[in-house]
Amino acid sequence: MNDKEKNWFDYMCDLSIIGLLTALFAFSTNAKNVFIPLEALFLATFGIRFLVRRSKLSLYTVWSIGLVVLALISTTYAPNESEARRLAISVIQVVLFGNLLLPYFRDLEANIHIFLHGIMIAAFALLFRIFVSTPLDVLLATRWGSTVSINANQVGLILAFGSLVALYYGITLRKLVFLLPALIFGLSSLFSGSRKAIVIIVLGSLILILLTRKATFSSIFELSISLLVLLGILYLSFTWEPLYKVLGNRIETLVSFFTEGETDGSTSVRFEMIEKGWEMALERPVLGHGLASFAELAGYGFYAHNNYIELLFSLGFVGLLWYYIFIAKLGVHAIVQLFSGNKNKLLVLVVTCIVVLMVDDIGRVRYYNEFSHMLFALGYAIIQLGHPQSGPDLQSILVQIIHWFQNPKGIKQD
């Protein structure tokens, strides 16, 4: 398919994915009066698209099914069965999102760029909501997100990814116009007070610059400028009172932990959770304690704030390996293609996303997160660009299943 062949339904799909991203970013799943209608629109349009175009199932589908099966099995031995079922439903929902999006990405490269532009549009929508709903004196005195009922760390994550996508376009297309939103999102993310957002922006920016530039004087100059900007931002974090209140003091406490062994209560508890989670996970290392079990058994009353520990505790080493082997495979394939002469610059974005997500998982639980699974589907689609779409489609599988029930011995009937 090319751009000229797109019809009204294709454009409806484009609008529905931008709408879903806006609902996720600017309102979150908690705003059910906004999220549920846009989610329903997405599921309807992309579900129809998936069936009508007989979209192929893929390795991503196999991985998704395996993750769902592990989640459902774990509900049978989880300490809180109702909460485990709720999380299992969340896992089913997010992998459904990914599987519906994958054919959309693979059918047309332009669709990938629509999704990436949708991320920036949704990030702007979030900023608009924050500025409209927050008085100026509050805006510069507290971590952003509370006035729109979105967790501050989530605000930081959204704006950080918006910044990286804009920076990617600014670097690869050499269009300075994209550097402005990259700067706006990046600076705005600081007011979320999220230390994880800083790590995402710094690490992601360095990867983007290093993988898109050759070892020339201009590249070294650009990298030096980027480092100076980073140092300037850190300086402001400690010297400008509004930014120090929401971010600078949090950086100080984190540094203190590694230098003096002293830190704030939040950071200290999270390190304790990792240690205790590891010890208790080893009590049932194969399949874990079941979904939502960390909150029930570890004594903290909430999840582990670490995707590795949460998965290990809930689904054991089987679940942990199943989840991360596929993601690591995406990153390795992207790196191999990139350094084997593949000129598709989208591969740089895949490597960047995989690395920052795996690092960010140290401080966040994301195995049932909608946006994360969208990014996994995106990465898989980019790696498969240029390869024919092979494999069975859902209709063919259903027909085979019906035939098997009608003739389980496999005897062909005239």
Side-chain angles (χ1 to χ4, degrees):
M1 180 189 297
N2 55 49
D3 290 333
K4 294 181 180 179
E5 294 175 340
K6 292 185 71 168
N7 54 37
W8 66 270
F9 183 73
D10 296 312
Y11 291 112
M12 187 174 177
C13 289
D14 297 342
L15 291 174
S16 69
I17 184 56
I18 293 174
L20 182 66
L21 285 170
T22 302
L24 280 173
F25 282 16
F27 295 90
S28 86
T29 57
N30 295 325
K32 297 189 183 300
N33 60 329
V34 176
F35 179 75
I36 290 180
L38 290 172
E39 178 189 34
L41 175 63
F42 168 79
L43 291 174
T45 53
F46 276 79
I48 292 171
R49 188 185 194 281
F50 188 92
L51 294 173
V52 170
R53 298 191 175 167
R54 300 180 71 93
S55 299
K56 304 296 184 182
L57 304 182
S58 63
L59 180 63
Y60 175 82
T61 309
V62 175
W63 174 73
S64 301
I65 292 173
L67 187 61
V68 168
V69 169
L70 287 170
L72 291 175
I73 290 174
S74 80
T75 63
T76 63
Y77 55 84
N80 187 333
E81 189 174 340
S82 62
E83 184 64 15
R85 283 199 300 265
R86 186 189 68 81
L87 282 184
I89 291 172
S90 295
V91 172
I92 294 172
Q93 175 179 294
V94 298
V95 301
L96 179 61
F97 283 7
N99 277 281
L100 290 178
L101 272 174
L102 182 58
Y104 172 77
F105 292 145
R106 294 198 66 186
D107 286 347
L108 186 65
E109 185 175 332
N111 291 340
I112 293 174
H113 295 287
I114 288 170
F115 177 80
L116 294 175
H117 282 76
I119 291 175
M120 293 185 285
I121 292 170
F124 270 122
L126 172 61
L127 281 181
F128 179 78
R129 281 201 73 208
I130 291 174
F131 283 122
V132 168
S133 64
T134 311
L136 184 59
D137 58 331
V138 176
L139 195 67
L140 297 178
T142 60
R143 298 177 67 186
W144 288 4
S146 59
T147 57
V148 291
S149 300
I150 300 177
N151 181 274
N153 288 320
Q154 181 67 11
V155 170
L157 174 72
I158 291 166
L159 295 176
F161 266 95
S163 180
L164 290 182
V165 171
L167 181 62
Y168 163 78
Y169 279 116
I171 292 175
T172 57
L173 299 181
R174 295 182 178 275
K175 290 186 177 180
L176 295 179
V177 66
F178 284 102
L179 297 183
L180 179 59
L183 186 61
I184 291 173
F185 294 145
L187 291 176
S188 297
S189 72
L190 300 180
F191 286 92
S192 71
S194 174
R195 291 167 291 199
K196 294 186 285 289
I198 295 179
V199 173
I200 289 174
I201 292 175
V202 172
L203 181 60
S205 299
L206 289 176
I207 295 173
L208 284 174
I209 293 171
L210 291 174
L211 293 183
T212 54
R213 290 290 183 267
K214 296 180 180 179
T216 62
F217 176 78
S218 61
S219 300
I220 296 173
F221 177 75
E222 291 173 2
L223 184 59
S224 301
I225 293 297
S226 301
L227 292 174
L228 287 175
V229 170
L230 172 61
L231 290 174
I233 292 172
L234 289 175
Y235 177 77
L236 282 176
S237 299
F238 293 111
T239 57
W240 187 32
E241 186 65 19
L243 196 54
Y244 177 79
K245 287 181 179 179
V246 297
L247 181 64
N249 65 337
R250 290 169 58 79
I251 296 176
E252 281 184 349
T253 55
L254 184 63
V255 173
S256 296
F257 178 83
F258 292 104
T259 57
E260 302 172 12
E262 299 178 0
T263 186
D264 58 41
S266 173
T267 304
S268 178
V269 168
R270 294 194 183 194
F271 278 101
E272 288 177 9
M273 291 164 69
I274 292 174
E275 184 178 357
K276 187 169 184 178
W278 171 258
E279 292 173 355
M280 292 186 66
L282 294 181
E283 296 173 5
R284 298 189 66 175
V286 180
L287 292 177
H289 297 273
L291 288 186
S293 58
F294 187 91
E296 295 291 325
L297 302 177
Y300 296 95
F302 43 81
Y303 57 89
H305 290 82
N306 180 297
N307 203 55
Y308 300 96
I309 294 298
E310 186 75 22
L311 275 171
L312 181 63
F313 199 99
S314 302
L315 302 178
F317 280 102
V318 172
L320 181 71
L321 291 174
W322 181 265
Y323 183 84
Y324 278 107
I325 282 177
F326 177 78
I327 297 171
K329 179 182 175 68
L330 292 183
V332 170
H333 274 251
I335 292 172
V336 169
Q337 287 190 31
L338 195 61
F339 287 97
S340 63
N342 192 323
K343 295 183 179 180
N344 186 357
K345 292 183 179 180
L346 285 167
L347 291 168
V348 173
L349 194 60
V350 176
V351 175
T352 303
C353 287
I354 294 299
V355 172
V356 298
L357 287 178
M358 293 185 74
V359 171
D360 188 59
D361 281 354
I362 296 172
R364 196 187 311 268
V365 175
R366 73 169 72 252
Y367 71 88
Y368 50 81
N369 176 266
E370 294 88 352
F371 181 56
S372 300
H373 282 265
M374 290 179 181
L375 291 178
F376 299 151
L378 178 73
Y380 184 82
I382 291 172
I383 291 170
Q384 295 297 319
L385 283 177
H387 298 280
Q389 298 189 45
S390 58
D393 56 73
L394 187 59
Q395 292 92 321
S396 300
I397 292 176
L398 292 176
V399 168
Q400 291 297 322
I401 292 174
I402 292 172
H403 286 171
W404 186 87
F405 277 110
Q406 292 174 339
N407 185 24
K409 293 184 178 180
I411 301 174
K412 292 184 179 180
Q413 299 177 345
D414 296 327

